[in-house]
Amino acid sequence: MKVRAVSPANIAFIKFWGKADPKLNIPFNDSFSMNLSGCLTTTGVEFDGGLKEDEVVINGESAAGERKQRVVEFLDLVRKKAGITTRAMVESENNFPEAAGIASSASAFSALAMAGSRAAGLQLPTGELTRLARRGSGSACRSVVDGFGYWRKGNSDETSFAVQMADEKYWDLVDIVTVVAEERKKASSTEGHAAAESSPYFKTRLANLPHRITEMKKAFKEKEFGRFGELVEEEAVDLHMMAMTSRPPIWYWNAGTVQVINNLREWRSDGLLGFATMDAGASVHVICEKKDVEKLNRKLQELPSVKFTIINVAGKGTHEV
Ligand code: DP6
């Protein structure tokens, strides 16, 4: 039986950075994100007794090396859960360009978790599906639920899973993914996680996080956008400060990143509210309310370092298609 699932990428408002258990992808802190309605991965999986090894096709190309290995190891987890040894055919497509610098591991592993487990005959409850997705890529667990996902860090495979904070209709927040020119090859988020603890600011951030999370939850509940955005930007700057001061230092920002952040600050002082957050890349996710999208998007596109933008509202989580 072939099963196809579609799943969104997500943008983290509170970030996952550093792994308490790298094998199980158990984080040091809770994290919180919004699904991106316009950045989707569709994955089909079929277990086939005639195959000698797993076949993995990503965006029309046969995958090999590390990229394939990561999928095969994930399928091994699914096989173990289902009590089978059959190999599988996996086909995966992203609807967003690789050049956008949006990490595809969250959408990819959440789609694979659903399509793979169902193709293997498993019907996992949501919590368990988020745990399975987490094993592929930590942030993938938050993409499983609709709208806004919250990952409770836990301290074991069983206790580290994602829940829904609110569905996609709760608040008309928008993420304008603002793609700036890439100047050099960036470090993967996996490398960043491994270096996180070496930053002198690692412990300081962890100590400050519970307060920031409480404040952010409050602003989210009250839909107080100005406060919410401030906290989102503060968290992103903290994370990147940690990356920049880890050993080895990792700089995801480039001149374009800084240009967008500076302009957002200026526009805010004129009453136009857009806040910056960045994941493991130079692109800036500009978080705003729906009423300001058109104006902000136009202004962003006028900046010399901006290549293109992708507009996202809060999206559905992983589902079968
Ligand atoms: C900066 O989930 O991509 O986007 O588990 O190694 O695949 P792996 O890491 P990943 O890390 C995400 C890092 C981040 C912040 C976030 O999404 O929470």
Side-chain angles (χ1 to χ4, degrees):
M1 180 187 46
K2 181 170 175 176
V3 178
R4 267 160 48 96
V6 60
S7 194
N10 65 65
I11 180 65
F13 299 140
I14 297 286
K15 314 271 187 194
F16 156 43
W17 203 242
K19 298 182 180 182
D21 184 332
K23 187 165 174 282
L24 293 174
N25 282 342
I26 311 283
F28 284 104
N29 60 270
D30 289 6
S31 54
F32 170 37
S33 62
M34 176 176 105
N35 288 339
L36 303 186
S37 61
C39 300
L40 307 172
T41 299
T42 305
T43 300
V45 179
E46 186 167 25
F47 288 91
D48 176 349
L51 291 175
K52 288 213 168 52
E53 57 174 288
D54 293 318
E55 280 177 33
V56 181
V57 178
I58 301 174
N59 294 328
E61 276 179 37
S62 186
E66 258 176 58
R67 222 171 171 204
K68 177 174 178 185
Q69 192 50 33
R70 197 165 165 187
V71 175
V72 171
E73 280 169 20
F74 188 82
L75 290 170
D76 286 341
L77 290 175
V78 173
R79 280 187 277 262
K80 195 166 166 214
K81 245 183 201 305
I84 58 171
T85 55
T86 329
R87 304 287 118 180
M89 174 74 209
V90 176
E91 274 176 289
S92 193
E93 294 273 346
N94 293 334
N95 77 339
F96 50 96
E98 204 150 311
I102 300 164
S104 57
S105 65
S107 52
F109 280 99
S110 46
L112 182 62
M114 180 176 279
S117 60
R118 294 202 176 163
L122 297 166
Q123 279 292 338
L124 303 177
T126 306
E128 213 176 322
L129 191 60
T130 73
R131 285 172 43 213
L132 178 62
R134 188 202 80 229
R135 296 291 300 273
S137 175
S139 56
C141 68
R142 298 186 311 242
S143 288
V144 172
V145 296
D146 289 343
F148 298 86
Y150 190 91
W151 177 7
R152 294 186 182 146
K153 69 183 171 80
N155 55 14
S156 64
D157 184 30
E158 289 72 29
T159 55
S160 186
F161 58 87
V163 295
Q164 186 187 59
M165 277 280 276
D167 72 17
E168 70 280 11
K169 295 187 193 76
Y170 173 71
W171 196 2
D172 57 2
L173 293 183
V174 178
D175 175 1
I176 309 175
V177 179
T178 304
V179 179
V180 296
E182 276 295 340
E183 281 161 5
R184 76 214 119 68
K185 193 179 175 299
K186 59 184 193 231
S188 71
S189 51
T190 307
E191 287 167 68
H193 287 297
E197 278 178 275
S198 66
S199 163
Y201 301 109
F202 179 76
K203 286 207 170 79
T204 312
R205 171 172 175 274
L206 271 193
N208 290 337
L209 261 185
H211 179 66
R212 181 175 298 153
I213 292 175
T214 306
E215 290 284 293
M216 197 184 282
K217 279 181 171 169
K218 186 164 169 271
F220 186 75
K221 192 162 168 238
E222 290 165 4
K223 297 190 184 165
E224 216 192 293
F225 182 67
R227 179 70 185 133
F228 184 77
E230 260 172 28
L231 291 161
V232 166
E233 192 166 301
E234 181 184 291
E235 162 67 358
V237 172
D238 254 24
L239 175 127
H240 284 270
M241 182 186 68
M242 238 169 37
M244 288 170 189
T245 54
S246 65
R247 292 186 202 98
I250 301 174
W251 284 67
Y252 291 108
W253 295 15
N254 65 22
T257 315
V258 176
Q259 184 177 66
V260 174
I261 296 174
N262 280 340
N263 276 277
L264 288 174
R265 291 197 169 167
E266 206 179 299
W267 301 337
R268 287 207 295 268
S269 64
D270 297 334
L272 179 62
L273 298 192
F275 295 89
T277 181
M278 290 71 55
D279 277 346
S283 297
V284 182
H285 293 251
V286 176
I287 309 299
C288 64
E289 291 177 295
K290 198 171 157 202
K291 65 177 176 63
D292 293 325
V293 175
E294 233 172 275
K295 190 161 180 197
L296 270 169
N297 192 40
R298 191 166 14 92
K299 286 170 98 64
L300 286 165
Q301 285 178 339
E302 279 165 11
L303 297 178
S305 59
V306 172
K307 285 208 288 190
F308 60 94
T309 60
I310 305 174
I311 294 176
N312 299 272
V313 295
K316 284 244 167 257
T318 318
H319 53 281
E320 233 183 271
V321 280

